[in-house]
Amino acid sequence: QIRYWLWHWFRHGIRWRGRYVALVASSRLILVLGATGFLGSFVVRRMIIDGYNVRILTRGSENWQDSRVQEFRGKGIDVMIGDIFNDDSLKRSLEGVSGVVNLVGSFRESEEISYEKIHVEFLERLLALGADAGTQRFVQMSCLGATEESECRYFRTRKQAELLVEASKTLWTIFRPSFLFAERFPLLELLRPLIKFKLFLPMIGSGTNKVQPVFAGDVANCVSQSIFDRIHVGQSYELVGPDEFTMIELLEMVRAEMGIGGPTMNIPSEFSSKTFNLVAKALPKSFFSKDFVGIFNQDSYGSQDVMLRHFEVRNNALDEYFPKIMESL
């Protein structure tokens, strides 16, 4: 009888205040991958505040003079040195871990790391090694716009990753945020060459797609609150901020704040003309790839209802951080 109830509590959690909670003891280790990225810093900070026992895997040096590693360890974080694409490193980082928060992802590809490698192949290995290690809980960070039908490989591979997680035997939760901001706005940093083009704003694509940027701290709160709450298992959540913009409105707002004048010109990337050639010479080649254009031409908006109903968030608006964002650009 005792063994039955132990099994029942492990499988279903303990019902408290009308909810099933505490899938695993909160003192157990949670591995956060992608912890040194933009969102990762917010997630780790929130988890430490909430009393989690956190481990991260980073390529930082074991050298005692490596200030970032020492900063993490000074906060009580278990820091493991290694490469996420190395199976031995992953195996070591998964030892004794009861849950994984996977924040690994990138807008940018390189010759060594494609969208397929970082979003799909890495995740396949992580799930397999996690199963071998007995990992129970899995939280996956995806993005709004991830679909199998997208012409953009970034979004297709993000969706492939979601499907892998959903097919796994873990107790999974998936988050799908819009573009993230705080005192920095990574998407705008990526589009800096477009924004600062002096003659006019070269809007590659229509620019009429809608975006609803979400505060990175709110996304981190959702992640931290979800880990040991049974109600979030097997759920996917869209996370958006309170304000909606078209991409043209967002970029024109930034240019106006910078004091950069000139009109906005829509330029299809396949269009061949003197204007296009002028812009093409001034911008990185990546701006004219289908995948890169697809990232900032994708709708990324939705309803806040589910997020506000299930999670406690500050719901910060973009204008609260806009001055700091402008300083960072």
Side-chain angles (χ1 to χ4, degrees):
Q1 190 71 13
I2 293 174
R3 289 179 63 187
Y4 167 79
W5 283 111
L6 287 174
W7 176 87
H8 177 83
W9 288 334
F10 171 74
R11 291 284 295 175
H12 302 286
I14 299 171
R15 192 168 180 82
W16 181 66
R17 293 186 179 179
R19 305 174 92 179
Y20 283 106
V21 298
L23 295 167
V24 289
S26 60
S27 61
R28 297 293 300 276
L29 266 177
I30 302 295
L31 173 65
V32 181
L33 296 169
T36 58
F38 176 71
L39 176 60
S41 61
F42 286 89
V43 170
V44 169
R45 187 183 309 133
R46 184 72 256 171
M47 289 178 66
I48 293 298
I49 291 171
D50 290 345
Y52 287 94
N53 191 5
V54 176
R55 172 181 288 169
I56 69 171
L57 176 63
T58 176
R59 286 186 294 182
S61 169
E62 282 278 19
N63 191 317
W64 67 270
Q65 292 179 316
D66 189 324
S67 60
R68 196 164 193 191
V69 169
Q70 294 310 311
E71 179 185 350
F72 284 131
R73 286 178 173 153
K75 294 176 180 176
I77 297 169
D78 181 19
V79 181
M80 306 208 62
I81 308 299
D83 187 340
I84 63 169
F85 296 109
N86 180 281
D87 278 7
D88 289 337
S89 294
L90 274 182
K91 287 177 184 177
R92 285 190 297 106
S93 68
L94 286 163
E95 290 176 3
V97 161
S98 53
V100 174
V101 175
N102 181 34
L103 308 175
V104 173
S106 178
F107 285 142
R108 291 284 199 185
E109 289 184 290
S110 67
E111 291 183 3
E112 297 80 22
I113 302 177
S114 65
Y115 291 141
E116 286 78 11
K117 181 174 181 177
I118 196 167
H119 297 150
V120 182
E121 294 170 19
F122 162 70
L123 182 61
E124 286 180 315
R125 294 301 303 142
L126 175 61
L127 289 169
L129 293 173
D132 291 342
T135 303
Q136 306 160 18
R137 189 76 172 96
F138 199 93
V139 177
Q140 171 74 7
M141 191 59 57
S142 185
C143 67
L144 273 177
T147 66
E148 291 181 280
E149 296 77 28
S150 177
E151 294 183 2
C152 176
R153 286 172 42 252
Y154 173 81
F155 292 113
R156 288 204 306 273
T157 55
R158 283 295 205 177
K159 184 60 180 180
Q160 289 168 24
E162 289 185 17
L163 295 175
L164 286 173
V165 172
E166 290 171 0
S168 72
K169 295 181 180 179
T170 62
L171 300 165
W172 58 265
T173 302
I174 296 171
F175 289 102
R176 311 178 83 225
S178 183
F179 297 112
L180 304 171
F181 73 87
E183 294 184 353
R184 292 173 44 222
F185 196 150
L187 176 69
L188 294 182
E189 293 174 358
L190 207 60
L191 299 180
R192 189 186 287 116
L194 281 183
I195 294 167
K196 293 193 171 183
F197 194 78
K198 296 294 185 182
L199 299 180
F200 51 84
L201 172 59
M203 190 66 239
I204 305 172
S206 72
T208 58
N209 55 303
K210 297 177 182 178
V211 296
Q212 209 166 333
V214 61
F215 177 53
D218 285 342
V219 176
N221 285 351
C222 294
V223 169
S224 186
Q225 291 167 33
S226 75
I227 294 173
F228 288 125
D229 195 332
R230 174 74 192 184
I231 195 173
H232 302 303
V233 172
Q235 300 296 319
S236 297
Y237 296 106
E238 295 186 353
L239 306 178
V240 296
D243 299 318
E244 183 183 298
F245 309 86
T246 65
M247 186 60 71
I248 284 181
E249 288 172 341
L250 181 60
L251 300 188
E252 286 181 341
M253 181 174 71
V254 174
R255 278 172 67 90
E257 188 68 21
M258 289 180 168
I260 302 174
T264 297
M265 297 189 81
N266 290 92
I267 304 174
S269 59
E270 71 276 6
F271 189 64
S272 178
S273 70
K274 290 183 179 179
T275 302
F276 179 82
N277 291 334
L278 170 68
V279 177
K281 289 178 181 179
L283 298 178
K285 290 181 180 179
S286 62
F287 274 89
F288 301 96
S289 73
K290 178 186 289 187
D291 291 311
F292 190 82
V293 171
I295 290 172
F296 64 89
N297 273 271
Q298 174 70 46
D299 280 327
S300 186
Y301 70 101
S303 170
Q304 286 197 305
D305 292 348
V306 174
M307 179 182 78
L308 297 180
R309 185 165 66 249
H310 287 287
F311 301 100
E312 294 181 11
V313 295
R314 291 167 59 187
N315 204 23
N316 287 347
L318 180 63
D319 61 5
E320 297 177 53
Y321 283 83
F322 197 64
K324 287 289 187 181
I325 290 169
M326 294 308 301
E327 287 179 17
S328 73
L329 293 175

